[in-house]
Amino acid sequence: MAAAAPAPVPFETRMHDGRLHRSRPEGPIRFRVGGVFRSNTIYDVMMKRGWKETESDDDWDMHWADREWVYEVFDAGHLMSWQRVNHFRNGRELCRKDLLVKNIKRAKRTLDKSGKPEEAARFDFCPVTFVLPGDYALFVEEFNRCAGTVWIMKPIGRAQGKGIFLFHKLSQISQWKSEHRWKPDTPGVETYVVQKYIPNPYLVGGKKFDMRMYALVTSFNPLKVYLHRSGFARFSASRYSSDLADIENAFVHLTNVAIQKTSTEYNADTGGKWDLQALKMFVAAKHGRAACDALFMGMQDIVVNSLLGVQKVMISDRHCFELY
């Protein structure tokens, strides 16, 4: 059996001041992935580009890691100048619902106090939001002030629509409170955000939808972001209804594919999706090109302002990037 080829060795050169400089070794890009990523699109794309997978702990050019690896391992090791990791070290500041809201509110408040109301207005894109259980008293005060309003509850650390529900009476969250051992000082209690539900969403064919757009951030200081032209819209399988009798119908109110694919009305051929270009054509045909351009420019502004909202707290490291 032939011996395995040795791993490429970095080139070493001596700088004028005597410091040793190491350069990336020649050869194809070597990538490492966490186990859960070996069966997804990211892995397939890297393989098709001719990159080479490695299981080495430190001999790689790019590591497509899960967040826990970054939080637990990143600070304990040393990376070469050419090595890149797909998460920033405190990425939760943007990706966790409660922290995102906190940072957006702080950015707006700071600009207001600095006498810059026009700049502060750029961060006024979040619905009224409280973090429970900590803000429960403030939430109840607002709830009582806005009688009849529908609210939506979302756990801060889950995905695929898990744990989300709507309500319009405080009695409707009594069961949730008991099931989650709800007390502000209970250790380990699951944190939720509660937001005013948007009662009149824009509909296409009578159905709710959300959009998936991709932003690549290579630096937070200075901020460098690339917004991909492509994306898609995800539709609910059922027509939207604001009737309180339908408040518990997830097929009406949530667009998560994990939920919608269990509906008898789910279209498996399309996956309940439109390409972003198809959505743009629909909006332009119905409302005009200028309105369509203004809408998507406004969404780009929200992406940029969300990033600016966390810029001061994000640890910007030259080894890190993130695809949001």
Side-chain angles (χ1 to χ4, degrees):
M1 180 181 293
V9 178
F11 295 106
E12 295 185 351
T13 56
R14 186 72 62 176
M15 305 294 285
H16 293 299
D17 58 4
R19 291 179 301 160
L20 194 63
H21 174 72
R22 305 188 76 186
S23 302
R24 180 190 175 278
E26 295 182 343
I29 293 176
R30 294 155 300 140
F31 71 91
R32 179 186 177 192
V33 295
V36 297
F37 296 114
R38 281 197 171 87
S39 59
N40 75 358
T41 303
I42 297 295
Y43 180 84
D44 294 340
V45 169
M46 290 191 286
M47 291 296 291
K48 288 181 179 179
R49 292 181 69 88
W51 297 4
K52 301 298 182 183
E53 183 182 7
T54 177
E55 295 184 2
S56 171
D57 289 338
D58 49 27
D59 184 26
W60 43 264
D61 298 300
M62 186 178 78
H63 185 183
W64 197 276
D66 58 51
R67 291 189 184 280
E68 295 308 316
W69 183 92
V70 176
Y71 299 144
E72 296 172 6
V73 180
F74 190 94
D75 287 337
H78 172 75
L79 298 183
M80 296 297 180
S81 61
W82 62 85
Q83 291 182 304
R84 296 293 181 268
V85 180
N86 66 313
H87 292 300
F88 287 92
R89 291 151 73 185
N90 59 336
R92 285 195 178 104
E93 294 290 340
L94 179 67
C95 297
R96 216 175 74 180
K97 300 177 184 73
D98 59 331
L99 297 179
L100 172 60
V101 170
K102 178 196 70 174
N103 287 313
I104 295 300
K105 286 182 176 179
R106 180 170 53 199
K108 185 178 186 302
R109 186 170 57 249
T110 300
L111 290 168
D112 276 328
K113 289 182 178 179
S114 301
K116 300 177 181 178
E118 292 185 2
E119 291 185 42
R122 299 182 316 185
F123 294 92
D124 193 19
F125 53 80
C126 290
V128 175
T129 305
F130 298 93
V131 179
L132 302 185
D135 294 339
Y136 186 74
L138 293 172
F139 160 65
V140 171
E141 182 179 334
E142 180 70 12
F143 181 93
N144 291 331
R145 195 176 65 83
C146 305
T149 299
V150 175
W151 297 77
I152 185 168
M153 294 273 285
K154 305 174 184 178
I156 63 167
R158 290 199 253 174
Q160 299 181 329
K162 295 175 182 176
I164 297 178
F165 64 94
L166 280 65
F167 66 95
H168 66 100
K169 296 179 181 178
L170 286 179
S171 60
Q172 292 171 306
I173 64 172
S174 297
Q175 182 180 359
W176 171 81
K177 287 169 60 177
S178 62
E179 287 178 350
H180 290 75
R181 307 183 315 282
W182 189 91
K183 287 182 181 179
D185 58 350
T186 299
V189 65
E190 186 172 23
T191 302
Y192 274 65
V193 294
V194 57
Q195 299 176 309
K196 279 187 178 179
Y197 190 58
I198 298 174
N200 57 338
Y202 185 82
L203 306 176
V204 173
K207 297 179 179 180
K208 277 190 67 175
F209 67 96
D210 69 6
M211 282 177 282
R212 281 291 184 262
M213 302 170 72
Y214 298 94
L216 173 66
V217 177
T218 57
S219 169
F220 273 96
N221 187 24
L223 179 62
K224 295 181 181 179
V225 55
Y226 303 85
L227 193 62
H228 201 285
R229 292 187 181 92
S230 297
F232 58 90
R234 306 184 306 179
F235 289 84
S236 62
S238 302
R239 294 175 68 86
Y240 178 72
S241 169
S242 58
D243 193 324
L244 293 179
D246 294 317
I247 198 170
E248 296 182 7
N249 189 339
F251 300 135
V252 169
H253 294 286
L254 305 183
T255 56
N256 308 78
V257 174
I259 291 175
Q260 293 296 329
K261 68 181 182 181
T262 64
S263 169
T264 56
E265 299 180 74
Y266 178 69
N267 187 332
D269 294 331
T270 65
K273 300 183 181 75
W274 269 12
D275 181 87
L276 202 59
Q277 189 61 33
L279 180 63
K280 287 182 177 180
M281 291 176 63
F282 173 87
V283 174
K286 187 170 183 178
H287 302 284
R289 179 64 180 271
C292 179
D293 290 344
L295 171 65
F296 280 87
M297 183 59 68
M299 287 189 285
Q300 290 183 36
D301 289 343
I302 289 177
V303 171
V304 172
N305 289 326
S306 296
L307 297 170
L308 289 173
V310 302
Q311 184 182 36
K312 292 185 178 180
V313 298
M314 195 69 73
I315 301 172
S316 188
D317 189 298
R318 65 174 179 170
H319 299 101
C320 301
F321 69 94
E322 187 111 23
L323 180 62
Y324 295 107

